[in-house]
Amino acid sequence: MDAELSVPALLGLGADGWGWALMAGAGLTLAVALAAMAIGSMLGAALAAAEASRRVWLVRIAATYGLVMRGVPELLVVLLLYFGAPGMLAGVAGLFGLPAPGSPPAFLTGSLAIGLVSAAYQAEVFRGGMLAVPRGQIEAAMAAGMGPVARLRRVILPQVLHHVLPPLGNIWQFNLKDSALVSITGLAELMRVSLVAAGSTRRPFVFFAAAMVLYLILTSASSALFRMIERRGSRWAGGR
Amino acid sequence: MDFLGTTSLGLLRAVPVTVLLFLASALGASLVAAVLVAMQQARVTQGLARAWIFVFRGTPLLLQIFMVYYGIAALGPIRHGFLWPAFREPLFCAWLAMTCCCSAYIAEVLRGALGAIPVGQIEAALACGMGRWTRLRLIVAPQVLRLALPAYGNELVMMIKSTSLASSITVLDVTGVAQQVIAHSYRTLDVFCLAAAVYLGMTAALTAVLRRIERSLDPLGSAPR
Amino acid sequence: MTQTSPSVLSARGITKSFGGRAVLRGIDLDAQRGDVVTILGGSGSGKSTFLRCLNLLELPDAGTIEIAGTRAPLAHDRHGKARIANPKALNALRTKTAMVFQNFNLWSHMTVLDNVIAAPVHVHGVPRAQAVDRAHGLLEKVGMAGFAGHWPRQLSGGQQQRVAIARALATDPDLMLFDEPTSALDPERVREVLDLMRALAGEGRTMLIVTHEMAFARDVSSHVVHVRDGVIESMGPPALMFGPDASPVFRAFLSP
Ligand SMILES: Nc1ncnc2c1ncn2[C@@H]1O[C@H](COP(=O)(O)OP(=O)(O)O)[C@@H](O)[C@H]1O
Ligand SMILES: [Mg+2]
């Protein structure tokens, strides 16, 4: 194994270079984070609705879920799903008298794990957002003759979005970084690719540095995007 | 003893490793964070502090840990220099990465608290002739501590959870031991649930301590109970 | 102004602009010991800025300030930008003055007592026990004797402002600066603060007061100053300023 390849050649797009593999890894990282964010949004909204409901058992379940997910390391959740999923699937299949389907795809278990954690944090954000609109403003909208749809669209959503976008942006950043944990499942996202490259070329510093740069591009580009949306959406708030 | 009993015992024996890593990183990160905030106040050092925060908040901690343990440790000057005995230790590398990473998050928390002190209170201190240090000691520091405490507490909870990443570089903390047991026994679900319970216990204990401190700093009890 | 009273304040040619907009355009003002000078004027005319220039919370672009024999340590760089020439002297100047703010600015993490003793103990080095003794006296004087252990947010606005006045008195300042001390108060609380200030005037405190309380200005001031667009439009004793011979501009301000 020849360790004396130059850094540009190592990171390049040529036959010996890892450039394409790293970029594909970054793409997969983005995909995992997006899937996790989507899963987290749906489950998070459901949890927030559950906590706002009047059914005590629903409130309890949602609260316990949040407590557990925020108190247990993300790594443990990823490991649990990765190692535990085949067994759980086999169990479910067994109930229907079917043969064990084997391991689900790593992408699925990985993004599900990050999404389950994300949901706990997103639920909190949604709950805060629902409280963001002063009661008087909603009453004023009613007094002005707005129906429920108009109220939601003209009065409630703009203010709620203004409140939830910044914390959602934060959660997105955590999803991006947490997706690196999925590397332990063997999924060839950015962290995994850089580990493989580091191992097979014996140049760990180069590849971890390259991965850091790619992560920085992902995180700073998305935070710029979020800032742009926030500015667009909340000019009325006096800008930031 | 049955399997669950032995496993619980094994996991509990690993708690000191996790706690040690957490305490040492919390201490290191808080000190570095204070330095970063101080650096942000002066124009010459501002850029460096910002770059530090940008890099460590913008990349995964797992990658930073690998960078320290495999990447930096493989560099010639480290490998053959006097620092090698430290960099050879996975626990040290995990501590170093966590200190750097979490210092960036804590610095942001402190900066936020600093910005949240009402300007008028600083002006009142200026108006009665307090010098820079008196102001810092009497007005700024106590307010920053109080304003920062909730968010700082959140960071500490995150840090406890993050210590589990040290297991990826062979540190035998709670997660590391859990993985070891699974590798031998193939009993995934129960072992992970036990490990999760151990972490929940630690985060709950930390949260309780933090709430106590918060309440003692807030004698009127407007802090959530 | 009696001839023999020593000068407490001498401000000359104070100018200040914010982002190219001139807010103060050359203000001269003097005060002798025991003077109560009220500064009147429309909102945005530069009253607060002037007051804040005197204890250098804002740095004036030009001009000199002398308070009780201490000169403000101002210097200007090549581009005319103001800076503090000597931080020690800055604090010396500030220890000769005390400021009462419109929104009190009590330190929210300190009890009432700690607010009052903070400057004596930590700026002037007065022994704590002595400062506490004196603070209790001052709190009694402002009618807040039972509140030493309270926290600022347990108090009404009027109570907070009276504590702020006790805090200002604690260092026995040569010059007290009041920036609209009653403007943030409920109407029924205004009286308690004005009465206290009246009592201070009666004791011979030198005070510079920005206010919109015309009756107070007429009854208590030794001088009334009308500031308009960053300059002193007219000034004089209240008998003149509130009489028929006052400047037409000021009369128009009084009865818009
Ligand atoms: N720090 C500042 N930066 C920019 N403009 C300021 C600042 N402080 C005051 N101003 C402006 O200066 C003018 C005078 O303000 P101020 O002295 O507060 O007026 P007053 O107290 O008489 O109402 C106002 O137009 C105000 O907007
Ligand atoms: Mg004003």
Side-chain angles (χ1 to χ4, degrees), chain A residues 64-204:
Chain A
T64 310
Y65 181 90
L67 206 67
V68 170
M69 279 303 173
R70 281 182 274 123
V72 170
E74 293 81 352
L75 179 61
L76 225 47
V77 181
V78 175
L79 285 169
L80 176 64
L81 250 65
Y82 175 57
F83 286 120
M88 289 185 238
L89 272 185
V92 173
L95 284 181
F96 299 97
L98 296 169
S103 305
F107 181 86
L108 199 69
T109 44
S111 19
L112 185 60
I114 306 296
L116 289 179
V117 178
S118 185
Y121 291 94
Q122 292 195 47
E124 228 175 337
V125 172
F126 293 148
R127 207 155 44 99
M130 291 197 282
L131 303 173
V133 190
R135 181 80 203 142
Q137 292 195 21
I138 297 173
E139 281 166 6
M142 292 175 181
M146 287 189 200
V149 176
R151 284 204 299 274
L152 189 70
R153 168 133 186 253
R154 305 283 164 208
V155 179
I156 299 176
L157 272 187
Q159 302 201 40
V160 168
L161 279 182
H162 172 69
H163 271 261
V164 302
L165 265 179
L168 281 185
N170 249 346
I171 292 176
W172 164 251
Q173 301 276 343
F174 277 105
N175 283 183
L176 264 179
K177 289 175 278 183
D178 282 347
S179 73
L181 303 178
V182 178
S183 64
I184 57 167
T185 68
L187 184 73
E189 46 66 77
L190 184 49
M191 181 76 243
R192 184 87 228 158
V193 173
S194 62
L195 266 169
V196 171
S200 74
T201 61
R202 305 263 171 93
R203 303 285 291 273

Side-chain angles (χ1 to χ4, degrees), chain C residues 42-49 52 102 179-180 210 212:
Chain C
S43 133
S45 56
K47 308 180 297 290
S48 298
T49 306
R52 294 160 59 83
Q102 180 172 345
D179 190 0
E180 301 198 26
V210 174
H212 294 296

Side-chain angles (χ1 to χ4, degrees), chain C residues 6 8 33 88 133 152 165 178 197 205-206 210 237 244 254-255:
Chain C
V8 172
R33 191 159 299 286
K88 274 232 172 69
D133 266 359
I165 291 173
F178 293 81
M197 290 170 63
R205 290 269 166 202
T206 317
V210 174
L254 284 181
S255 48

Side-chain angles (χ1 to χ4, degrees), chain C residues 109-164:
Chain C
H109 62 302
M110 292 183 183
T111 60
V112 163
L113 182 69
D114 285 334
N115 263 280
V116 178
I117 66 170
V121 171
H122 300 288
V123 180
H124 295 245
V126 175
R128 197 184 159 85
Q130 193 183 324
V132 168
D133 266 359
R134 203 172 125 69
H136 281 300
L138 288 170
L139 285 175
E140 188 163 339
K141 175 184 191 135
V142 301
M144 294 294 294
F147 294 86
H150 280 58
W151 299 89
R153 71 163 178 279
Q154 292 175 296
L155 307 179
S156 74
Q159 291 174 322
Q160 290 194 45
Q161 194 61 298
R162 284 185 282 150
V163 172

